[in-house]
Amino acid sequence: MFQLLNNTKNNQALATLEAQPLTEDNKNMATIKDVAKLAGVSKATVSRVLNGNERVSQIARDKVKQTMKELGYKPSALAQALATNRSRTIGMVVSDLSGPFFGPIMKSAEKVIRDAGFQLVVTNGHGQEDREREAIEFMTNRPVDALILTVFALPEEEIVELHRNGTPIVLLNRRIQGFEDNCIYLDNKQGGYLATKRMLELGHDRVAFLAGHFTHPDSLERLEGYQQALDEFGIPFRQDLVFDDDYNEDGGRRMCQKLLNLKRDFSAIFCGNDLIAIGARDVLNQHGKLQSTCMVGFDDVTFAQYLNPSLSSVFFPVEQMGERAGHMALAMAGHKTAAVTHVLQPRLIERESLMAAQPND
Amino acid sequence: MFQLLNNTKNNQALATLEAQPLTEDNKNMATIKDVAKLAGVSKATVSRVLNGNERVSQIARDKVKQTMKELGYKPSALAQALATNRSRTIGMVVSDLSGPFFGPIMKSAEKVIRDAGFQLVVTNGHGQEDREREAIEFMTNRPVDALILTVFALPEEEIVELHRNGTPIVLLNRRIQGFEDNCIYLDNKQGGYLATKRMLELGHDRVAFLAGHFTHPDSLERLEGYQQALDEFGIPFRQDLVFDDDYNEDGGRRMCQKLLNLKRDFSAIFCGNDLIAIGARDVLNQHGKLQSTCMVGFDDVTFAQYLNPSLSSVFFPVEQMGERAGHMALAMAGHKTAAVTHVLQPRLIERESLMAAQPND
DNA sequence: TTGTAAGCGTTATCAC
DNA sequence: GTGATAACGCTTACAA
């Protein structure tokens, strides 16, 4: 039955294929000139009805609109951009085009941007300084009306200067002093605080922290939150329960291994992100300690809920960040939009990994 | 210590900020005209050295190059596009900007495209016909030199016609008869075959198939593979072991629930994709049957390996697909590239879920 | 209200 | 080799 369906469709496609041989320059899109000529008006008038608001007689306007339809006329965004010096395009540089973190950010940003009649252009900065610079240059030559940046490697000065030179910037996950109005970032300290506090409330008084590298400001802020929670519970901070390594599974594995090797006493682990958590779980599992260790990750990527036991995590409002970034960029590009928040609030998602164990087993 | 570092940086940024008040039109990028004037040659000559190959005297060429540097001149991609009618841009429409499946495709496509000096522009089609059409229109107005499409809803005729009208198309995950040269897709039948065969080899003679909707050609092809494997092992096909529903967790949950409710006899399950597998596992787990059921998913998304027991899956070569698509699009855009394959081969990734049970427990 | 014409920053076709 | 000059498709004063 589906075979039948398929064939019907395919025959149609085939027919079209044969009927109309491929002429390279079938691409003869109608131009504003064609419309003007056929409608018996000047290019200027056509341009006016195109841009809506001008004063054009109803009769001319109708005539032009009709002609546009007949010709299937679509204005060339390119020519418009050249003439107006605005491309209705927003650029975005992420440090990983794939991956569970940037996907949702891009998605939600793209939505608000496209709904405003703008276009989002995304490019990969790979988290490396030269690649980031190159990516940005790529975009500014297009050009773009605003730029959403997620760059960790590029020096602050360059970012600020880019903005001064006329390319409005929205900076994600990074805060530059004196440039805060252009930044959107998570309250990382609060995230670290929430996670740690909850584990302490559950009675765990020896909470390890497997962080990402402390060269990354986020890690330090999360550490501050961790410390604050300890303080509140009157538990002394122990340097020997804190580790730092890469923000990925291998980093998690190494840190957890160290923790175990050193025979440190602990019953709970706070991880710098969910990938670290996954690596750590792996090691815990090998030692039969997965079920008996309380754990909280960070970011709450999609698969955290699929793990077994499901992973508790500090939720990073990625969609929200994308949305805000989109609005902000649009505002900078001269498009009216609502006011934006610069600091996003995390919240703790409690799942099985939090309840897995009693503190003093 | 990091605080110190931060402050140093920030002060610099701040200094820059104050030194150079924001003038809206700081954006006075040098144009080809400026270069020509300062170098004492004509625009034509500058254009020639810009495009490399022409016959320009060494002395003039040097002079121009130097001047370009001094002025920090960057050609406007926009003006170039308008003049040449090629934008050095490749468009891509995906049906989900986030998600584990399209991420890697975009990523690898972007790499080959950018390495060729082209730009990738990605847009979301949301898998809905009108959105897809709109997305494509958005791109063709830019315009783009070629288009990589992942559209399931858009009618075949429209796609073929678009191509005829001068926008070269690369079509992913879909095959249109008479249009195969523009398509890149997985050998789904082979995927279904590999998964089923392996389970049969392990002694499971009652393998259920929780498929995605059979309105989707992929599902049917995978079903064919499933049947072929059964045939080879001389096991009769049983319609009552096959279900179809949405390609997501809920679909998986529903199908698995049905399977259990109907008291069908089975020891292994082949799932239409990994999300279906996740949903099904959920239900199996509730019934204490997770460990005792042999299972294979499809796509091998990143988190399959993180599940517990880890999920076996038919690997979909997403990076390869993105790469090929990029090369193919570049070739169509007039950029020389290597030959491409149109049919991609899956392979079976064996993990714990395959070994979980003995057939006749 | 409408048209003319001068841009926007390139490339490309001519002559010289 | 090199330089005018006309496109490319649109916007936008400035006139009419």
Side-chain angles (χ1 to χ4, degrees):
Chain A
M1 183 272 184
F2 72 95
Q3 285 288 359
L4 191 61
L5 190 69
N6 258 354
N7 285 335
T8 317
K9 275 197 198 165
N10 290 331
N11 287 341
Q12 282 188 23
L14 210 54
T16 319
L17 228 93
E18 284 157 2
Q20 198 176 342
L22 180 58
T23 49
E24 258 301 341
D25 32 26
N26 226 338
K27 208 172 189 164
N28 282 331
M29 293 281 288
T31 79
I32 201 174
K33 208 170 167 180
D34 302 326
V35 177
K37 194 177 298 172
L38 196 63
V41 299
S42 73
K43 293 194 301 176
T45 302
V46 178
S47 175
R48 288 189 187 105
V49 343
L50 207 55
N51 298 319
N53 31 16
E54 310 290 331
R55 292 102 61 101
V56 184
S57 69
Q58 193 57 42
I59 175 157
R61 158 165 283 118
D62 290 347
K63 180 81 185 157
V64 168
K65 281 194 171 168
Q66 155 117 26
T67 322
M68 294 210 252
K69 269 212 168 135
E70 281 173 23
L71 263 42
Y73 168 76
K74 301 281 175 220
S76 152
L78 219 56
Q80 292 186 141
L82 188 60
T84 58
N85 198 29
R86 326 154 108 271
S87 59
R88 297 189 74 81
T89 292
I90 307 273
M92 180 163 177
V93 178
V94 298
S95 39
D96 188 0
L97 251 181
S98 69
F101 188 79
F102 288 106
I105 295 187
M106 291 169 40
K107 185 177 184 170
S108 47
E110 205 253 359
K111 181 166 178 13
V112 328
I113 287 170
R114 189 130 82 88
D115 284 353
F118 278 61
Q119 169 133 329
L120 179 68
V121 176
V122 191
T123 258
N124 204 333
H126 297 274
Q128 296 160 29
E129 184 170 339
D130 49 341
R131 306 288 233 115
E132 291 177 350
R133 201 169 357 245
E134 187 198 321
I136 290 174
E137 193 162 308
F138 220 94
M139 316 244 61
T140 50
N141 291 161
R142 289 287 123 180
V144 294
D145 292 343
L147 213 38
I148 300 174
L149 257 35
T150 322
V151 293
F152 298 110
L154 206 70
E156 299 191 339
E157 307 80 54
E158 271 184 64
I159 298 173
V160 176
E161 199 194 322
L162 189 60
H163 181 76
R164 314 231 118 289
N165 284 346
T167 307
I169 303 272
V170 177
L171 188 59
L172 300 188
N173 282 333
R174 190 167 167 183
R175 184 176 14 173
I176 299 183
Q177 253 191 39
F179 195 64
E180 282 91 352
D181 287 353
N182 300 67
C183 303
I184 304 181
Y185 47 88
L186 184 74
D187 186 339
N188 283 295
K189 179 173 178 185
Q190 177 70 2
Y193 172 73
L194 289 175
T196 313
K197 177 181 157 218
R198 186 75 188 108
M199 295 196 271
L200 294 173
E201 282 172 356
L202 290 170
H204 299 275
D205 52 356
R206 288 142 308 158
V207 180
F209 179 24
L210 309 188
H213 284 299
F214 286 130
T215 44
H216 201 302
D218 290 4
S219 314
L220 287 162
E221 292 172 17
R222 290 169 194 183
L223 177 65
E224 286 178 46
Y226 168 82
Q227 289 176 309
Q228 181 189 333
L230 291 179
D231 284 354
E232 279 187 13
F233 279 74
I235 297 177
F237 172 75
R238 288 174 50 188
Q239 180 70 53
D240 60 347
L241 282 178
V242 176
F243 301 81
D244 74 321
D245 204 318
D246 292 346
Y247 262 120
N248 58 31
E249 300 101 298
D250 284 339
R253 255 185 284 270
R254 281 190 296 265
M255 290 188 276
C256 191
Q257 195 61 63
K258 270 190 209 164
L259 182 63
L260 291 171
N261 287 348
L262 297 175
K263 306 278 183 212
R264 302 259 157 81
D265 199 25
F266 69 94
S267 65
I269 302 181
F270 169 41
C271 296
N273 76 2
D274 292 343
L275 291 175
I276 291 179
I278 292 210
R281 288 164 66 105
D282 214 20
V283 174
L284 288 176
N285 197 25
Q286 285 163 21
H287 291 257
K289 294 188 169 230
L290 179 54
Q291 301 294 339
S292 63
T293 306
C294 176
M295 183 180 281
V296 176
F298 210 109
D299 286 352
D300 190 34
V301 298
T302 353
F303 57 75
Q305 59 183 299
Y306 299 142
L307 299 174
N308 186 3
S310 56
L311 178 65
S312 310
S313 192
V314 176
F315 174 75
F316 191 121
V318 272
E319 288 88 357
Q320 199 181 123
M321 173 170 272
E323 236 171 67
R324 302 296 160 90
H327 282 302
M328 202 158 146
L330 285 170
M332 291 174 162
H335 195 271
K336 73 258 164 222
T337 17
V340 292
T341 353
H342 296 278
V343 185
L344 268 31
Q345 290 303 325
R347 63 173 201 274
L348 182 62
I349 308 290
E350 308 200 12
R351 298 205 183 86
E352 293 164 359
S353 73
L354 205 44
M355 305 309 169
Q358 295 308 317
N360 295 311
D361 285 356
Chain B
M1 181 268 181
F2 72 96
Q3 285 288 359
L4 191 61
L5 190 68
N6 258 355
N7 285 335
T8 316
K9 276 195 195 164
N10 290 332
N11 287 341
Q12 283 188 25
L14 211 54
T16 319
L17 228 92
E18 283 157 1
Q20 199 177 341
L22 180 58
T23 49
E24 257 302 340
D25 32 26
N26 226 339
K27 207 172 191 166
N28 281 333
M29 293 281 287
T31 80
I32 202 174
K33 207 169 168 182
D34 303 326
V35 177
K37 193 177 298 175
L38 195 64
V41 299
S42 71
K43 293 193 302 176
T45 301
V46 178
S47 176
R48 288 188 186 105
V49 342
L50 206 55
N51 299 317
N53 31 18
E54 312 288 332
R55 292 103 61 104
V56 183
S57 69
Q58 193 58 41
I59 175 158
R61 158 165 284 119
D62 291 346
K63 180 80 185 156
V64 168
K65 281 194 171 169
Q66 154 116 30
T67 323
M68 294 209 246
K69 270 212 170 137
E70 282 173 22
L71 263 43
Y73 168 76
K74 301 282 174 218
S76 151
L78 220 57
Q80 292 186 142
L82 186 60
T84 58
N85 199 29
R86 320 152 110 276
S87 59
R88 297 188 77 79
T89 292
I90 307 273
M92 180 163 177
V93 178
V94 298
S95 38
D96 189 0
L97 252 181
S98 70
F101 189 79
F102 288 106
I105 295 188
M106 290 169 40
K107 185 177 182 169
S108 47
E110 203 252 1
K111 180 167 177 14
V112 328
I113 286 169
R114 189 129 82 90
D115 284 353
F118 279 61
Q119 168 133 330
L120 179 68
V121 177
V122 190
T123 257
N124 203 335
H126 297 273
Q128 298 160 29
E129 185 171 338
D130 50 340
R131 306 288 234 115
E132 290 177 350
R133 203 171 354 248
E134 186 199 321
I136 290 175
E137 192 163 308
F138 219 94
M139 315 244 62
T140 51
N141 291 160
R142 290 287 121 182
V144 294
D145 293 343
L147 212 39
I148 300 174
L149 256 35
T150 322
V151 292
F152 296 111
L154 207 70
E156 298 191 340
E157 307 81 53
E158 270 183 65
I159 298 172
V160 176
E161 199 194 321
L162 189 61
H163 181 76
R164 315 230 116 295
N165 285 347
T167 307
I169 302 273
V170 176
L171 188 60
L172 300 188
N173 282 333
R174 189 166 168 184
R175 183 177 16 171
I176 298 184
Q177 254 190 39
F179 196 64
E180 282 90 351
D181 287 354
N182 299 66
C183 303
I184 304 181
Y185 47 88
L186 184 75
D187 187 339
N188 282 295
K189 179 173 178 185
Q190 178 69 4
Y193 172 73
L194 288 175
T196 313
K197 179 180 156 219
R198 187 74 188 107
M199 295 197 270
L200 295 172
E201 282 172 357
L202 289 171
H204 299 275
D205 52 358
R206 290 143 308 157
V207 180
F209 179 24
L210 310 188
H213 284 299
F214 285 131
T215 44
H216 200 302
D218 290 4
S219 312
L220 287 161
E221 293 172 18
R222 290 170 194 182
L223 176 65
E224 286 179 43
Y226 168 82
Q227 289 175 309
Q228 182 188 333
L230 291 178
D231 284 355
E232 278 186 16
F233 279 75
I235 296 178
F237 171 76
R238 288 174 49 185
Q239 180 71 53
D240 60 348
L241 282 179
V242 176
F243 300 81
D244 74 321
D245 204 318
D246 292 347
Y247 262 119
N248 58 34
E249 299 103 300
D250 283 339
R253 254 186 285 268
R254 282 190 295 264
M255 290 188 275
C256 191
Q257 194 62 61
K258 271 190 208 163
L259 182 63
L260 290 172
N261 287 347
L262 298 174
K263 306 278 182 210
R264 302 257 157 82
D265 199 25
F266 69 93
S267 65
I269 302 182
F270 169 41
C271 296
N273 76 2
D274 291 344
L275 292 175
I276 291 179
I278 293 211
R281 288 164 65 106
D282 213 20
V283 174
L284 289 176
N285 197 24
Q286 285 163 20
H287 292 256
K289 292 187 170 233
L290 178 54
Q291 300 294 337
S292 63
T293 307
C294 176
M295 183 179 282
V296 177
F298 211 108
D299 286 351
D300 190 33
V301 296
T302 354
F303 57 75
Q305 59 183 296
Y306 298 142
L307 299 174
N308 187 3
S310 56
L311 178 64
S312 310
S313 192
V314 176
F315 174 75
F316 191 120
V318 272
E319 288 88 356
Q320 202 182 119
M321 173 169 271
E323 236 172 67
R324 302 296 160 91
H327 282 302
M328 202 158 146
L330 286 171
M332 290 174 163
H335 195 269
K336 73 257 164 222
T337 16
V340 293
T341 353
H342 295 279
V343 186
L344 268 30
Q345 291 303 326
R347 62 173 202 276
L348 182 63
I349 308 290
E350 308 199 12
R351 298 205 182 87
E352 293 165 359
S353 74
L354 205 44
M355 305 309 170
Q358 295 308 318
N360 295 310
D361 283 358

